[in-house]
Amino acid sequence: MRRVGETKRLLYWVRRLSEFAMLGWLGLMLLLDLVIAASTGGLQWLVPMCGVAGIVAVALRRAHRADGFSAVLALSFGTSMAIGGTNLAGVPGMAETGSLLVLVIGVLRHVEPVRRAAALACAGLIVLMAEAVGRDYHGAGLAFSFLLFASWSMAAGAGGYLRFQRERRAEAVHSVRRAERLELARELHDLVAHHITGIVVQAQAARTVAEASPQAVLPALDAIATAGSDALTSMRRMVTVLRTEEEAGRRPGTTLADLRMLTDRFSADGPKVAFEIGPGLDDRTLQPEVMTTLHRVLQESLTNVRKHATRTAWVEADLRRHDRSVVLRVRNFGSSPDPRVSRLGGGFGLVGMAERVEALGGRLYAGPSSEGAWEVVAEFPLT
């Protein structure tokens, strides 16, 4: 899983660098505001102060999004009223305006409920219009109003679109989780029947043995207790999944032979699959719920290859045991991933797989590998 960690670190630094770049642009705008304030004088010096406040609010927006935006709105509106009330020539602040537009996007995307987000965005428009009217530099207020309104419209449109995309994906993820829990409810019946049948058979055998050989009853009772404990542990995991939206489970009865049969069936009418099971793994090594989740991940990965990588040359899959974990890796070569899936950040079938893997304390990664293949990696702890 080293590559998974490297990818996360790369994404982290890309995000951080983009943040620094945005703050750098706002800083350059603040320098221009200082130049304008030095040449204009008077209350125009309040404008760079608004720019500084806006940059601070942008830097802290994830922790204080609504409060920071409201503070910048109040400071900007007060500055516009002060400059406008003195009838002095004023100029809208570039860092101040840029910060307000960035904050409008974030407010519309993240603030809940949506009514509050819309109210804050409209307040932002009012403040921008007050900035244009109150700082009417030699009759240029109309031009300022047009430019600021156009900028606010683009920012509001971007924020609204991002919010729509976020809510649409959240609803789709919720639907996948609900369907997954319904399937788990059906599997719970199979799980109970599987374990209880074994307990009943062993109890009947113990009763039969007790008549002829009473000393043999004790091992049978131990086996019954062990089977009951295993049943309770498995059912507790599955019921936990059914009660939450953050976890998922499996189907009893899957074996390593089922995994190999799955790859053989896929190879019969699709790209050839090279499936390898590493040493130290057998049906007794892995818990039933892990075995079934491995089957589900392998099945979903191969299905995604058929759907989204139709020109793939071959598929490589392997299941290996490490010190305290078992890792399933599925990679397809010779075809790039579907761009529609890439734009969505992964298909929703991946959400169902992640639900099941994380329910068992594991981790799932799906994305490009360093060799240029698309891979799905699922890691489970060995208990």
Side-chain angles (χ1 to χ4, degrees), residues 69-371:
F69 184 54
S70 300
V72 176
L73 289 179
L75 184 59
S76 177
F77 187 78
T79 299
S80 299
M81 293 299 98
I83 295 177
T86 59
N87 293 322
L88 296 175
V91 180
M94 286 183 284
E96 170 190 1
T97 302
S99 300
L100 285 173
L101 294 176
V102 171
L103 293 172
V104 164
I105 295 175
V107 162
L108 284 174
R109 182 180 183 182
H110 295 289
V111 170
E112 298 290 348
V114 66
R115 293 190 299 273
R116 185 186 181 196
L120 288 172
C122 290
L125 175 61
I126 294 172
V127 169
L128 289 173
M129 291 300 98
E131 184 180 343
V133 174
R135 309 176 199 180
D136 187 2
Y137 186 76
H138 300 304
L142 182 61
F144 287 150
S145 298
F146 175 78
L147 291 175
L148 292 178
F149 179 77
S151 300
W152 177 88
S153 299
M154 289 187 291
Y161 175 76
L162 292 173
R163 187 186 191 95
F164 170 75
Q165 290 290 84
R166 181 172 65 89
E167 292 185 351
R168 186 178 70 168
R169 182 168 181 83
E171 178 61 28
V173 170
H174 175 73
S175 299
V176 170
R177 289 174 173 170
R178 182 172 55 192
E180 197 74 20
R181 291 195 298 275
L182 289 175
E183 182 180 348
L184 290 172
R186 293 191 295 268
E187 293 177 2
L188 182 59
H189 173 270
D190 297 337
L191 180 70
V192 172
H194 173 76
H195 285 291
I196 297 303
T197 299
I199 293 174
V200 170
V201 169
Q202 293 183 64
Q204 291 174 341
R207 182 178 180 181
T208 301
V209 171
E211 298 176 357
S213 180
Q215 68 275 8
V217 174
L218 187 58
L221 293 177
D222 291 337
I224 292 172
T226 300
S229 177
D230 292 341
L232 287 175
T233 300
S234 298
M235 284 189 290
R236 188 179 297 113
R237 288 181 178 177
M238 187 170 285
V239 170
T240 299
V241 171
L242 293 173
R243 288 179 176 175
T244 65
E245 294 196 4
E246 301 300 327
E247 304 178 12
R250 76 282 162 233
R251 177 185 302 110
T254 302
T255 64
L256 293 177
D258 295 324
L259 301 181
R260 192 170 295 281
M261 188 181 303
L262 176 64
T263 58
D264 291 340
R265 287 201 304 266
F266 183 85
S267 298
D269 57 355
K272 299 301 180 182
V273 181
F275 182 49
E276 181 180 357
I277 299 176
L281 288 175
D282 55 41
D283 294 335
R284 295 169 297 178
T285 305
L286 304 174
Q287 297 294 325
E289 54 269 21
V290 174
M291 288 294 302
T292 303
T293 305
L294 286 170
H295 186 277
R296 177 62 179 269
V297 172
L298 181 60
Q299 182 182 48
E300 187 67 31
S301 301
L302 295 177
T303 300
N304 284 341
V305 171
R306 181 170 290 149
K307 286 182 178 179
H308 306 299
T310 55
R311 298 189 302 274
T312 199
W314 78 93
V315 180
E316 180 182 285
D318 59 79
L319 180 66
R320 299 189 182 280
R321 177 176 181 174
H322 299 280
D323 292 338
R324 296 185 178 180
S325 64
V326 60
V327 177
L328 173 67
R329 177 178 285 105
V330 183
R331 293 184 286 183
N332 62 281
F333 297 84
S335 177
S336 59
D338 192 319
R340 294 171 296 177
V341 177
S342 301
R343 286 196 297 268
L344 288 173
F348 293 116
L350 298 177
V351 176
M353 286 196 291
E355 292 291 304
R356 288 178 171 261
V357 173
E358 293 169 6
L360 304 177
R363 295 182 296 172
L364 181 79
Y365 167 77
S369 68
S370 58
E371 296 86 0

